[in-house]
Amino acid sequence: MRALPGGRRAKAAIALAGAALVAGSLLVTSPASAERPADLVSYDAAGRITGLSAAAGHTLRPAAKGDAAAQATAHLKALAGRFGVNAKQFAVDKTTALPGGTVVRFQQTIGGAPVLGGQLVAVLDGAGALSSLHGNTTTATDKAAKPAKGAGEFGAKTRQSFADEAKTGVDALEEAESQLAWFDPAIYAGTPSKGDVKLVWSVKVEPAGLDAWGGEVLYDATSGTEVLRLSHKHEALSRAICDANSTYVSTSAFCLAKGAARVEGGAVSGVTDVNDAFDLFGTTSSYYQTNFGYDLTAAIGSTGKGDNVKRLRAIVRACVQGYGCPMENAFWNGKGMTFGAGFASADDVIAHELTHGVTEHTSGLVYSSQSGAINEALSDIFGEYSDLTNGRGNDAAGVRWDMGEDLPASIGVIRSMSDPTRFSDPDKVSSSLWYKGTNNSAYVHINSGVGNKAAFLIADGGTFNGQTITGLGLAKAGQIFWRAQNTLTSSATYKELNTVLPAACRSLATSGTGGITAADCVSVDRAVLATEMNLTPAG
């Protein structure tokens, strides 16, 4: 990222045009009017623009010619200077059609190698005009991507490390293709980039079945030392359910040898856990299809040994080494779900875990730091929104926003979205409960409370932290978070979500999707302000 022309002076110039500095973001009030609310411009701590979002009924630039990718590219070239970046470092990575427009994701590259988490996302309206542009980038200038180490020396090491973590054999894991990339730690820390990038090999391993989990390790391409380790284990329509009957699952051939206890079109099982998993896979799939037109099976289903049909897959009543038997846990490993006894009966938990798969295929949020916390929050959000609309389980007023109210009594409720502080999770970024330690699992699960509180306020409303929010209901709230899910960068921080949620609402209001209006976006603005997403966490 190059320096913003004029540095902080450019920010001041906008302010002189009639703007008010509000909680770390600049609300541009000129040429706003009673008919068109203010646009939103977000800055990082160094004064560089990180996001531009138009008010409902307004776009930032006139439509360009060509398809969505060409239109977005034209917008990026026109605005790159305001972000302090060189447009030549960006190429279209993915284009996603959404109601009322299109999302175009750009990947930053240096010397032909991608910058991990270095992305800009353009949201276009139906005519190709720009509704918003935001993202995280490095300020590093072009340099050659020349590794001193080859990728080949890291594959076996990575497989063995994740096999040891899962307490299984290396044959339960498969090595994916390694990638040479640039790593800027500031992108994931949510701090301004200083251009300090490191050339790394990204080495990924994937599970061969449902009984293990893979992950990714970044190795310094010069020294070979480990830079960052990311587990792909996330705790807690064609379907195939296997039953381990409270025995240890230690080989990926388990389902092949045992046979599925229930498959699509097959007979109902005599085992409650099998039927619960089968049915709740169905209700979650229906939630995504009905509300967003998203085919869960096509997106995150997998084939199995001896079964080449793409299905949503699970093993129930499973025991995994290191977790005891019965296993009081559930996890998604990228290919399917594994449940301990009784865990397949919790509809919000099942939708939560399946949403990890959805996130992997949409925003791709990295499971670390603030992006990992937002990853967990989105799983809770769609898990609970699905739970509250599927007519199953306990949805009484007293547990309406509890996560895991239908889990076995030995575990019980694990989080509250209406009041995260009940479980010592933060409900705003400045909370003393914000986790500042180095345990990544604790970090992502605890700090998800901020996103959860915002989702509760947007759906049900209430007064919190000086803001009174009118609830929009589950249907509108779901549409707003779904659009956010598709527009977040993989390295998103809460500051980015502070830009993306209001921008998502304004795009939906402009297109008239889901009955969302400009007035509804006031509630979203107040919810992100109440939860202080615009702030940088202390420490």
Side-chain angles (χ1 to χ4, degrees):
M1 182 189 294
R2 294 178 178 173
L4 181 66
R8 292 184 179 272
R9 292 191 298 277
K11 181 175 179 179
I14 297 175
L16 290 173
L21 189 61
V22 179
S25 294
L26 194 68
L27 291 174
V28 182
T29 58
S30 177
S33 66
E35 290 74 33
R36 185 179 67 76
D39 297 337
L40 181 67
V41 184
S42 300
Y43 293 88
D44 65 17
R48 300 184 183 93
I49 289 178
T50 58
L52 299 170
S53 174
H58 175 241
T59 49
L60 295 166
R61 294 282 176 182
K65 296 180 179 180
D67 60 14
Q71 291 167 338
T73 299
H75 294 310
L76 175 61
K77 288 180 178 178
L79 293 168
R82 296 186 66 185
F83 283 76
V85 298
N86 184 347
K88 293 181 179 179
Q89 287 187 336
F90 293 83
V92 174
D93 177 54
K94 184 169 67 172
T95 300
T96 304
L98 292 176
T102 308
V103 174
V104 182
R105 190 176 298 267
F106 292 91
Q107 175 63 51
Q108 185 179 20
T109 61
I110 297 175
V115 177
L116 298 174
Q119 298 172 341
L120 286 173
V121 176
V123 181
L124 310 180
D125 68 11
L130 188 66
S131 297
S132 64
L133 179 67
H134 67 272
N136 302 306
T137 59
T138 183
T139 61
T141 55
D142 289 338
K143 55 181 68 179
K146 295 181 179 180
K149 300 280 185 178
E153 60 186 279
F154 302 119
K157 178 181 178 180
T158 306
R159 286 180 68 201
Q160 186 63 60
S161 68
F162 280 104
D164 291 344
E165 178 183 311
K167 294 181 171 59
T168 187
V170 292
D171 60 342
L173 295 166
E174 301 168 343
E175 185 180 347
E177 185 175 355
S178 299
Q179 180 186 41
L180 190 65
W182 298 99
F183 174 69
D184 184 339
I187 287 178
Y188 294 100
T191 58
S193 170
K194 297 179 181 179
D196 299 330
V197 295
K198 188 185 296 289
L199 190 63
V200 298
W201 281 108
S202 168
V203 182
K204 296 180 181 179
V205 293
E206 299 174 346
L210 306 186
D211 51 342
W213 54 88
E216 177 181 8
V217 179
L218 305 184
Y219 296 97
D220 189 309
T222 300
S223 67
T225 58
E226 184 174 308
V227 175
L228 183 67
R229 177 185 175 87
L230 300 169
S231 175
H232 288 176
K233 177 194 173 197
H234 301 288
E235 296 182 289
L237 193 68
S238 180
R239 295 160 281 184
I241 314 297
C242 297
D243 179 25
N245 194 18
S246 295
T247 59
Y248 279 97
V249 178
S250 59
T251 121
S252 58
F254 172 82
C255 282
L256 178 62
K258 184 82 173 178
R262 187 174 178 186
V263 295
E264 201 69 34
V268 174
S269 171
V271 178
T272 299
D273 281 35
V274 170
N275 294 326
D276 282 346
F278 188 90
D279 292 343
L280 293 177
F281 272 18
T283 61
T284 304
S285 182
S286 293
Y287 173 79
Y288 274 100
Q289 183 66 54
T290 301
N291 288 279
F292 316 125
Y294 189 79
D295 188 330
L296 204 61
T297 305
I300 69 172
S302 63
T303 58
K305 291 186 176 181
D307 178 7
N308 289 322
V309 177
K310 204 170 191 182
R311 306 181 191 272
L312 296 176
R313 299 179 181 274
I315 301 176
V316 301
R317 299 199 296 175
C319 299
V320 174
Q321 291 292 335
Y323 289 88
C325 197
M327 180 181 74
E328 294 186 332
N329 209 339
F331 61 85
W332 166 267
N333 74 348
K335 288 196 172 182
M337 291 183 62
T338 301
F339 296 99
F343 276 71
S345 63
D347 49 357
D348 50 5
V349 171
I350 283 188
H352 170 110
E353 299 297 348
L354 290 173
T355 297
H356 279 307
V358 174
T359 298
E360 182 181 338
H361 288 80
T362 50
S363 58
L365 285 162
V366 173
Y367 201 64
S368 177
S369 203
Q370 287 190 54
S371 59
I374 297 171
N375 188 317
E376 274 297 322
L378 287 173
S379 276
D380 278 357
I381 291 163
F382 288 112
E384 201 60 38
Y385 284 6
S386 174
D387 173 6
L388 293 174
T389 55
N390 65 18
R392 291 180 60 100
N394 182 5
D395 295 329
V399 297
R400 175 175 167 81
W401 290 102
D402 285 353
M403 175 60 58
E405 71 276 4
D406 295 314
L407 285 172
S410 59
I411 295 294
V413 176
I414 55 177
R415 283 185 290 279
S416 168
M417 296 178 67
S418 59
D419 181 13
T421 63
R422 277 175 51 201
F423 293 86
S424 298
D425 299 333
D427 53 8
K428 56 185 179 180
V429 170
S430 70
S431 170
S432 61
L433 296 173
W434 180 276
Y435 180 77
K436 304 179 182 69
T438 58
N439 183 318
N440 188 61
S441 180
Y443 188 103
V444 301
H445 286 93
I446 292 172
N447 294 335
S448 65
V450 174
N452 286 349
K453 181 71 174 186
F456 157 73
L457 290 170
I458 291 171
D460 272 15
T463 298
F464 175 66
N465 198 19
Q467 299 294 320
T468 298
I469 295 110
T470 301
L472 306 184
L474 293 167
K476 287 184 177 181
Q479 290 293 337
I480 292 167
F481 275 97
W482 177 244
R483 197 172 192 91
Q485 169 74 286
N486 282 274
T487 55
L488 286 165
T489 66
S490 62
S491 56
T493 62
Y494 275 118
K495 277 191 174 181
E496 182 175 323
L497 193 57
N498 178 69
T499 297
V500 166
L501 282 174
C505 186
R506 285 168 171 79
S507 289
L508 292 167
T510 298
S511 64
T513 302
I516 293 171
T517 66
D520 292 330
C521 299
V522 174
S523 290
V524 179
D525 293 341
R526 291 176 177 174
V528 298
L529 185 60
T531 51
E532 303 174 342
M533 291 184 185
N534 56 292
L535 301 184
T536 299

